[in-house]
Amino acid sequence: MPIEITGQNNKPVQTDRGTRPENNVGRSEPTVAQQNSSGRSSTADTVSLTETSAQLRSIESSLAALPVVDTQRVESIKQAIADGSYQIDAQTVADKLIDFEATLDR
């Protein structure tokens, strides 16, 4: 059962599926010789990954190796709070809160 996806004003969404190089996914049917040699019919699925996907995989593994928390910064802030030298700029905090609230209203 096909599903029709429509865009704004119920116009069909235009797609360029199959024309981009990263859509190199296919299914190949075996030749008659291959079927006869194996005695059974089979199909082989193939997938080709683009250079972009390889780069994304590399970046993902690099990010996974980074620590979640900057422990050196946390320790320096803890030390500054402990010795009383940590300064809080109330105006900056207020401005950031107002900016954050403004983004929630969008």
Side-chain angles (χ1 to χ4, degrees), residues 10-60:
N10 292 328
K11 295 179 183 175
V13 176
Q14 298 294 322
T15 64
D16 61 351
R17 181 176 275 175
T19 60
R20 299 185 314 204
E22 60 267 31
N23 288 336
N24 293 335
V25 176
R27 186 176 190 100
S28 63
E29 298 293 329
T31 65
V32 174
Q34 290 172 333
Q35 286 180 7
N36 291 339
S37 67
S38 67
R40 60 186 164 85
S41 175
S42 66
T43 60
D45 293 333
T46 60
V47 176
S48 297
L49 300 178
T50 63
E51 181 64 29
T52 305
S53 67
Q55 289 174 341
L56 287 173
R57 201 172 347 179
S58 172
I59 292 169
E60 182 182 22

Side-chain angles (χ1 to χ4, degrees), residues 83-99:
D83 65 23
S85 64
Y86 187 74
Q87 299 287 324
I88 297 174
D89 183 2
Q91 185 63 44
T92 302
V93 172
D95 290 341
K96 297 283 184 175
L97 282 171
I98 291 169
D99 290 343

